[in-house]
């Protein structure tokens, strides 16, 4: 089954005579006898108990994403940040370390700093070379973490190479695949162990609900001495990690996805392939267009010949390079004028929408980061991030061209 067919015909659809699993808008699930509920709690019978743990609408969404990412299963969470937090804290504990790539989403960067208060150290490599990662792994390292396309740095790590390195040192590779989406990148197929998404972005596609999801390959051999938190879940075999996430931190922290969000995400997912194809084509064309504009001092897009990430992206992406690009315009003032002159680019803090979105990261998403941290994230005072939408490319080009012209006149 090809990608778009799979989006519509994965086994979850139509089970109860509806194309999409309905919204089970309930807190808990009733059983006729005390014995039955006891068996469900014991795990000897399968059944739903309480929506904080699982729910049929969530399960259908999880099954679809797990199939797309080629994992053994998935756990849906309240947000992308919840997915990142739960995925990592299910593995590491105080006194241990996370080794991460250079181009991270600002919220993840902030989380890693927060985790230092809990005794979990994060080490960042300043470039994404295998040699830099290898040089920074030590006895305390318990996982390597990267984004398949750094947001907004737009760097692309060598996932297969990192997986090989991670495994040779006995640690898993965790990949945030939000910016690429499973349409262009499948980290588990490249050797990664765990993949996660902020579903608030491309998976949902219309910016109508916050969510996250964790997918596991089921392949990583969790050594009980190095990963004591997983020991009691070894009995679940390839589902050990997902059982740890669901029965452990998801249940304890209460960061579950709401049924309505799961429904909206399942609905959005159906058009992921069509949207991404159009978005990536638009982004590629716009990146070339911006390169030709004299007001633009730099364009970053992994699909450009000039991009340092292009060769890695060509190897591990499916011929497309995503929907994010950044432009540098010479000053913060120019960046602000450019944004205000746009007719179609909505100035808001999100990516992955069908609409084109723009933002000035330095004054918003990265407001509380130091200059050094911003540079590490690829954020500069004159940089604007564009999340390209599905509008007609001619309209987008005309709009960006008039905004660049009027930006210069407004100085
Ligand atoms: N990962 C990436 C790459 C993101 O861009 C974001 C949000 O922008 C997140 C994770 C966090 O997701 P959420 O906003 O759904 O918590």
């Amino acid at each position: 089954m090809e990608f778009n067919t799979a989006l519509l015909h994965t086994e979850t659809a139509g089970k109860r005579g509806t194309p999409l699993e309905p919204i089970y808008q309930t807190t808990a699930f009733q059983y006729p006898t005390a014995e039955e509920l006891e068996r469900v709690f014991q795990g000897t019978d399968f059944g739903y108990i309480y929506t904080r743990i699982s729910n049929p609408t969530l399960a259908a969404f999880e099954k679809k994403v797990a199939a797309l990412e080629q994992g053994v299963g998935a756990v849906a969470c309240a947000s992308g940040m919840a997915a990142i937090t739960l995925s990592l804290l299910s593995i590491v504990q105080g006194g241990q370390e996370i080794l991460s790539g250079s181009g991270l989403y600002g919220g993840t960067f902030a989380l890693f700093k927060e985790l230092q208060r809990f005794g979990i150290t994060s080490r960042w490599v300043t470039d994404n070379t295998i040699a830099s990662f290898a040089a920074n792994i030590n006895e305390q390292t318990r996982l390597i973490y990267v984004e398949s396309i750094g947001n907004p740095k737009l760097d692309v790590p060598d996932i297969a190479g990192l997986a090989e390195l991670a495994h040779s040192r006995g640690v898993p590779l965790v990949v945030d695949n939000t910016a690429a989406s499973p349409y262009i990148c499948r980290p588990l197929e490249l050797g990664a162990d765990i993949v996660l998404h902020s579903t608030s972005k491309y998976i949902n596609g219309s910016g109508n609900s916050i969510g996250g999801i964790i997918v596991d390959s089921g392949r990583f051999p969790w050594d009980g001495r190095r990963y004591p938190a997983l020991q009691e879940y070894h009995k679940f075999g390839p589902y050990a990690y997902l059982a740890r996430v669901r029965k452990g931190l998801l249940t304890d922290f209460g960061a579950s996805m709401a049924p309505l969000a799961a429904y909206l995400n399942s609905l959005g997912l159906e058009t992921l392939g069509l949207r991404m194809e159009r978005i990536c084509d638009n982004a590629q064309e716009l990146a070339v267009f911006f390169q030709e504009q004299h007001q633009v001092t730099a364009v970053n897009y992994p699909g450009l010949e000039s991009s340092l990430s292009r060769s890695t992206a060509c190897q591990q992406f499916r011929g497309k390079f995503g929907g994010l690009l950044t432009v540098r315009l010479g000053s913060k003032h120019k960046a602000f004028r450019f944004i205000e002159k746009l007719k179609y680019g909505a100035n808001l803090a999100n990516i992955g929408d069908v609409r084109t979105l723009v933002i000035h990261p330095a004054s918003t998403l990265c407001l509380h980061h130091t200059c050094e941290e911003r540079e590490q994230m690829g954020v500069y005072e004159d940089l604007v991030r564009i999340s390209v939408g599905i509008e007609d490319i001619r309209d987008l080009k005309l709009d960006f061209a008039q905004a660049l012209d009027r930006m210069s006149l407004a100085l």
Side-chain angles (χ1 to χ4, degrees):
M1 205 170 4
E2 301 278 329
F3 191 84
N4 288 302
T5 315
L7 288 174
L8 299 170
H9 296 284
T10 298
E11 195 215 317
T12 60
K15 235 205 242 153
R16 293 170 179 82
T18 54
L20 271 178
E21 191 72 14
I23 305 168
Y24 280 76
Q25 190 62 38
T26 183
T27 305
F29 299 83
Q30 191 173 348
Y31 288 83
T33 65
E35 283 80 6
E36 280 171 76
L37 188 54
E38 183 187 35
R39 286 198 295 277
V40 176
F41 265 79
Q42 284 172 335
T44 47
D45 278 6
F46 173 79
Y48 295 98
I49 296 172
Y50 194 66
T51 289
R52 169 155 52 76
I53 305 165
S54 60
N55 169 302
T57 318
L58 269 69
F61 175 57
E62 288 164 343
K63 218 166 171 184
K64 279 192 177 192
V65 180
L68 285 183
E69 287 285 13
Q70 307 283 310
V72 292
V75 174
C77 306
S79 66
M81 287 315 301
I84 297 169
T85 308
L86 298 190
S87 70
L88 302 183
L89 293 187
S90 295
I91 301 172
V92 287
Q93 59 190 49
Q96 300 179 341
E97 291 194 9
I98 295 168
L99 177 59
S100 88
S102 63
L104 287 193
Y105 163 62
T108 307
F109 202 86
L111 170 71
F112 283 6
K113 285 208 313 196
E114 185 67 39
L115 290 180
Q116 315 259 21
R117 294 184 206 277
F118 297 86
I120 297 167
T121 306
S122 297
R123 226 173 250 280
W124 286 275
V125 297
T126 46
D127 61 58
N128 272 339
T129 59
I130 301 290
S132 294
F133 279 97
N136 281 284
I137 297 187
N138 62 36
E139 265 309 294
Q140 274 61 52
T141 309
R142 286 297 179 275
L143 64 94
I144 296 180
Y145 182 93
V146 291
E147 293 182 11
S148 51
I149 301 179
N151 173 21
K153 197 171 187 179
L154 308 183
D155 52 348
V156 178
D158 170 0
I159 294 174
L162 280 176
E164 205 179 315
L165 171 69
H167 298 157
S168 74
R169 307 295 286 268
V171 300
L173 175 65
V174 181
V175 179
D176 179 338
N177 197 27
T178 301
S181 91
Y183 179 71
I184 66 169
C185 182
R186 318 261 167 80
L188 301 187
E189 284 181 1
L190 296 168
D193 301 285
I194 294 160
V195 63
L196 57 90
H197 287 271
S198 162
T199 59
S200 327
K201 321 294 183 203
Y202 291 106
I203 287 184
N204 175 280
S206 294
N208 60 39
S209 34
I210 293 284
I213 196 158
I214 305 167
V215 185
D216 182 31
S217 68
R219 290 189 299 251
F220 189 75
W222 302 99
D223 177 301
R225 276 167 299 127
R226 285 166 64 76
Y227 297 99
L230 277 119
Q231 201 147 21
E232 67 175 284
Y233 299 98
H234 281 176
K235 60 179 181 239
F236 294 104
Y239 302 100
Y241 174 78
L242 291 171
R244 159 78 181 133
V245 175
R246 190 182 299 283
K247 292 171 183 280
L249 297 190
L250 180 80
T251 303
D252 298 339
F253 285 6
S256 49
M257 182 178 276
L260 175 60
Y263 179 84
L264 292 170
N265 288 332
S266 292
L267 190 62
L269 202 54
E270 295 189 332
T271 56
L272 179 70
L274 284 179
R275 284 186 281 112
M276 286 311 290
E277 192 173 338
R278 171 74 165 231
I279 283 172
C280 295
D281 290 349
N282 275 358
Q284 179 76 40
E285 205 166 326
L286 277 178
V288 172
F289 160 85
F290 278 120
Q291 271 190 324
E292 292 160 356
Q293 309 306 308
H294 66 91
Q295 302 97 327
V296 178
T297 59
V299 187
N300 189 10
Y301 182 66
L304 286 177
E305 294 292 341
S306 58
S307 167
L308 295 175
S309 296
R310 187 178 156 93
S311 63
T312 315
C314 285
Q315 278 163 26
Q316 58 192 25
F317 293 170
R318 294 160 178 259
K320 305 276 178 192
F321 302 92
L324 297 183
L325 60 94
T326 60
V327 289
R328 293 186 68 176
L329 299 167
S331 71
K332 175 180 174 183
H333 184 71
K334 286 185 181 176
F336 272 35
R337 299 293 73 79
F338 173 69
I339 288 174
E340 81 190 11
K341 304 294 177 205
L342 285 171
K343 195 166 149 197
Y344 302 129
N347 178 31
L348 58 80
N350 196 16
I351 57 169
D353 201 313
V354 280
R355 292 155 202 82
T356 294
L357 313 175
V358 296
I359 198 161
H360 178 255
S363 63
T364 55
L365 308 170
C366 299
L367 183 60
H368 302 297
H369 292 286
T370 64
C371 289
E372 203 188 353
E373 288 168 353
R374 282 184 201 172
E375 239 172 78
Q376 194 178 321
M377 288 184 251
V379 171
Y380 305 94
E381 279 295 303
D382 64 342
L383 181 127
V384 174
R385 182 187 72 191
I386 303 170
S387 171
V388 179
I390 63 168
E391 296 93 342
D392 291 299
I393 188 68
R394 196 176 130 73
D395 287 332
L396 287 179
K397 280 189 188 168
L398 284 173
D399 192 30
F400 283 120
Q402 67 78 26
L404 286 172
D405 288 344
R406 290 172 67 211
M407 164 190 96
S408 305
L409 291 176
L411 294 174

